[in-house]
Structure formats: C-alpha cells, structure tokens
Amino acid sequence: PENTIPAFQRALDLGVQTLEMDVVITKDKEVLLSHEPWFSHEIALDPNGEMIELNEETAHRIYQMTFEETQVYDVGKKEHPRFPNQEKIAVTKPLLREVIRMSEKHSEKYSRELPFYNIETKSRPEGDNIFHPEPEEFVDLLVKVIMEEGIADRAIIQSFDIRTLQLAKKKYPDITLAL
C-alpha cells in the first residue's frame, strides 16, 4: 500500500534508488507519510474497521490527530479501486523517520547505495491551520527530521505549494528543492 513501510521496502528490493513520498503533520507535530492530509476513502478503514465515505474523509484530518491516534486507522487491508492487484495487508501510516531508518538499514544490509528521498509537502494556502500548519512550521518540522536522520545531502523537498519551497530556500539553502 502506498506511503507505507512495506511499500518502500518493496521498492528498495526492486532496486529503486529514489523514494518519493508525501508528508503531512500531526497534531503533536510529527511528520507522517500520507498522500492526503486526511484518511482517504479509497485506502483507509476507520478505527472501528469500517469504510470511510467520500463525503466524510476530510473529517478524518490528520492535523487534528496525534500520531498515536493515526495508528488506529488501517491503510492496507481495503481493496484499492485503482490498484486491484495491490497486496492487502494490515498497515498504518508511518512517520517519516521510520521510513528513513528502515530504508537506510535495508540498504546497508544488502550492501546497496543509500537511497535518495523525494519528500513532497502536502500543503495549500486554503489548508493552513486546518489540514496543516503554516508553511514555516511545516518546513521547519520536515527539515528537522531530515537533519536528525542525516539525509540532507540525499533529500529533495518537493511541493506544489511555492510558499514551502521559498521558505526552505531561504532558511535551508543547502537542501535541494523541486517544484
């Protein structure tokens, strides 16, 4: 399932050299992998194991949940409508640092080059303080993980939100950016 540890491990097994992922921020300021800033009706089951309806998915906002609260949603057992052959496994959305640590250990274990990380900030101006923090806080939280995990020379911050890239360029000029 997308944006999960098993998916990135499989990519590494296939010889992928750059991992692309999307990140959001939790209520307790953790950097979590997720394509949307909520639990999508396409991939997620709610804490009771029930399907999330399309018109209800934005009520499951990750920015309003602690990391611990996100871990009761399953994002791997439900059949994905666009990927019917995807393996169905019980899995949750991981922290960015967990994916990095797994990837680094996996690469070292198999004597492969360490991967690059293309990390997309999932933010838009209309989502500030609703689906994510203000751009500066978002960038600072993301770069903190990148620095702590020692991947700054192999990280690319990508975004469709030019504000996050402008802030990253100003505050962290050594990190590669992509629009």
Side-chain angles (χ1 to χ4, degrees):
E2 66 184 45
N3 279 308
T4 66
I5 288 178
F8 291 113
Q9 187 167 0
R10 176 76 173 128
L12 292 169
D13 288 341
L14 293 171
V16 169
Q17 298 168 325
T18 301
L19 301 175
E20 191 277 336
M21 59 202 68
D22 308 305
V23 294
V24 298
I25 306 298
T26 64
K27 182 179 182 178
D28 53 349
K29 310 302 182 196
E30 295 288 349
V31 182
L32 186 78
L33 271 63
S34 183
H35 187 264
E36 295 88 13
W38 53 75
F39 283 92
S40 168
H41 74 284
E42 286 191 321
I43 65 166
L45 297 175
D46 74 11
N48 297 318
E50 301 293 324
M51 289 196 291
I52 296 171
E53 298 297 325
L54 172 62
N55 64 342
E56 297 174 354
E57 67 183 4
T58 58
H60 298 266
R61 292 180 287 193
I62 294 168
Y63 187 53
Q64 302 303 317
M65 298 178 194
T66 64
F67 170 66
E68 185 176 315
E69 290 169 330
T70 69
Q71 299 304 285
V72 296
Y73 285 79
D74 181 89
V75 294
K77 289 190 292 191
K78 184 177 183 221
E79 185 169 317
H80 195 299
R82 289 179 284 132
F83 304 101
N85 297 326
Q86 178 174 288
E87 183 179 356
K88 292 160 201 62
I89 57 173
V91 67
T92 59
K93 293 180 183 273
L95 293 172
L96 173 60
R97 74 174 65 333
E98 293 173 321
V99 171
I100 294 167
R101 289 175 184 170
M102 178 282 299
S103 301
E104 302 287 294
K105 285 179 186 173
H106 186 278
S107 296
E108 289 172 7
K109 178 179 178 181
Y110 294 102
S111 300
R112 296 185 181 139
E113 287 188 37
L114 295 173
F116 283 77
Y117 300 89
N118 188 36
I119 307 165
E120 181 177 338
T121 61
K122 298 304 270 192
S123 64
R124 301 183 326 202
E126 59 272 15
D128 287 354
N129 300 310
I130 300 167
F131 294 114
H132 50 78
E134 298 279 338
E136 186 166 9
E137 182 178 15
F138 199 133
V139 169
D140 288 344
L141 290 167
L142 172 55
V143 171
K144 180 180 181 206
V145 173
I146 289 170
M147 297 302 210
E148 287 175 352
E149 297 303 321
I151 62 161
D153 60 331
R154 293 180 284 120
I156 301 163
I157 297 176
Q158 173 181 308
S159 188
F160 289 96
D161 185 350
I162 192 72
R163 302 172 308 154
T164 57
L165 298 176
Q166 289 169 329
L167 283 162
K169 182 177 175 76
K170 181 179 176 184
K171 293 182 79 172
Y172 309 102
D174 294 335
I175 293 183
T176 303
L177 305 176
L179 175 64

